[in-house]
Amino acid sequence: MNLKMLTIAIASQKGGVGKTCTCVNLGSGLQQQKIKVVLVDMDAQGSATYALGLVPGKQPGFDRWLEGEDVIRTDTAVPLIPGGTDTAYVEWDSPEILRKAISKLDCDLVLLDCPPSLVPATVAALVVADRVLVPVLADPLVLVGLAQVLDTLKDVNPDVPVDVLRSRYKPALNMTAEADSVLVSDNRFNLLRISIPENVAIAESAGHGQSIFEYASKSKGASAFKALAGEVIKEWGLNKRGRK
Ligand SMILES: Nc1ncnc2c1ncn2[C@@H]1O[C@H](COP(=O)(O)OP(=O)(O)OP(=O)(O)O)[C@@H](O)[C@H]1O
Ligand SMILES: [Mg+2]
């Protein structure tokens, strides 16, 4: 086991905020910086699996991995524990089954792509995470999904550091400036400096089963995820952790 391994839950109870695109493209950006990443698709929708070019449910995945089977796919842009509908039938007696499965991975960083609701899989991810990354949209409901995650964390993992990522960001909108001022003045979390712009290439790349770096390496989305990788390497101390 790699004692220096870091586990990040990418979570928000609000759907469609960019959790999966962040997992895939931040994961890919970090790999390019020589960080060894494994992405765990914990969502029964299997969006991360699809975005990495596989058909969800067509290969052994998350549920079998929790039972101890070696299901990792390394032929994808980011090594992946695949998801699919079977994930919805996992019996979560305790989040410890997730911690145990993670402890057997050989990597620097584990990214947990959570489902959009507070199902037992999400709670398990929040319990075992060393940090939680919450993508938010700058709309009037910006704080709803975020507040729900922060509330849940108070109960299940009160001291875990939380990073907030402005996702699908549209700087020209007044609404964005208002949401920004709310986020900047809240000290319950670390607001990441880099934001991810609304960029059609990001949506298209997921539809093509490719990371943004494979699909459109010169896009605004690719530059943003590269910059975000640089920021989190420092913020999460990945440059100092070293391998086992
Ligand atoms: N920066 C972006 N620019 C444009 N489209 C984006 C961006 N990020 C995500 N999308 C698109 O928005 C939709 C939602 O993104 P994504 O699936 O990453 O969100 P999610 O939070 O994981 O959703 P869910 O809650 O369903 O799991 C997808 O169609 C995706 O392709
Ligand atoms: Mg998702």
Side-chain angles (χ1 to χ4, degrees), residues 25-42:
N25 295 312
L26 176 60
S28 184
L30 287 167
Q31 291 232 126
Q32 291 179 3
Q33 303 295 319
K34 308 281 180 260
I35 308 290
K36 233 179 137 185
V37 181
V38 174
L39 199 171
V40 181
D41 187 352
M42 297 187 63

Side-chain angles (χ1 to χ4, degrees), residues 14-21 43 45 113-114 116 167-168 196-200 202-203 206:
K14 191 155 166 46
V17 294
K19 294 180 289 293
T20 298
C21 285
D43 188 356
Q45 296 180 96
D113 186 20
C114 295
S167 175
R168 312 190 62 177
I196 303 299
E198 179 77 20
N199 178 218
V200 69
I202 293 177

